[in-house]
Amino acid sequence: MVRGKTQMKKIENVTSRQVTFSKRRNGLLKKAYELSVLCDAEVGLIVFSPRGKVYEFSSRCMQKMLERYQKYSEECDISNTTKEHDIQKDVGGGSGIMFNKGIKSAGEPS
């Protein structure tokens, strides 16, 4: 039997919404764990429930992962600000240059 496609809209029934949240949260936590084990990836996941309860998973220390992410974000902000400044200097020619903000994996050098 094939399931139908789920419509992406808020579930109005409170009980159904809570059951769906619980099942999908557990599935998401399981996938995060599997990704960390199978691919030796450093994975961190934080989920806040509608009631404000916190659920988290981290393959290593969550605090260290958050500090690493914050450091990375600051480096990207500085790097992007410099690139934007350089682009503004070159805009006279009207070149449409765009930059993608990539995320390095755990194994890549910083």
Side-chain angles (χ1 to χ4, degrees):
M1 187 171 161
V2 179
R3 292 185 187 155
K5 189 172 183 177
T6 303
Q7 238 182 355
M8 285 296 123
K9 66 175 189 172
K10 183 178 178 180
I11 299 170
E12 296 302 324
N13 182 295
V14 177
T15 305
S16 295
R17 185 171 52 232
Q18 180 58 38
V19 169
T20 300
F21 172 80
S22 182
K23 287 181 178 180
R24 287 183 175 253
R25 179 201 66 225
N26 288 337
L28 186 59
L29 291 168
K30 182 179 177 183
K31 291 290 184 183
Y33 169 75
E34 291 171 354
L35 181 63
S36 71
V37 172
L38 295 173
C39 302
D40 195 30
E42 195 169 335
V43 178
L45 172 68
I46 302 171
V47 178
F48 293 94
S49 76
R51 297 179 181 172
K53 194 170 179 181
V54 177
Y55 301 91
E56 68 177 72
F57 167 81
S58 64
S59 55
R60 298 194 174 87
C61 177
M62 179 66 85
Q63 185 63 38
K64 288 182 181 178
M65 288 180 68
L66 290 171
E67 289 169 2
R68 181 176 171 196
Y69 175 75
Q70 187 173 16
K71 181 181 175 188
Y72 173 79
S73 294
E74 290 169 359
E75 288 173 0
C76 283
D77 288 344
I78 291 169
S79 177
N80 286 340
T81 302
T82 303
K83 288 176 185 176
E84 289 171 7
H85 181 69
D86 291 344
I87 290 171
Q88 288 175 357
K89 287 181 185 176
D90 296 335
V91 170
S95 61
I97 301 171
M98 293 177 54
F99 291 96
N100 262 343
K101 184 176 180 181
I103 297 177
K104 295 178 183 152
S105 66
E108 290 181 5
S110 297

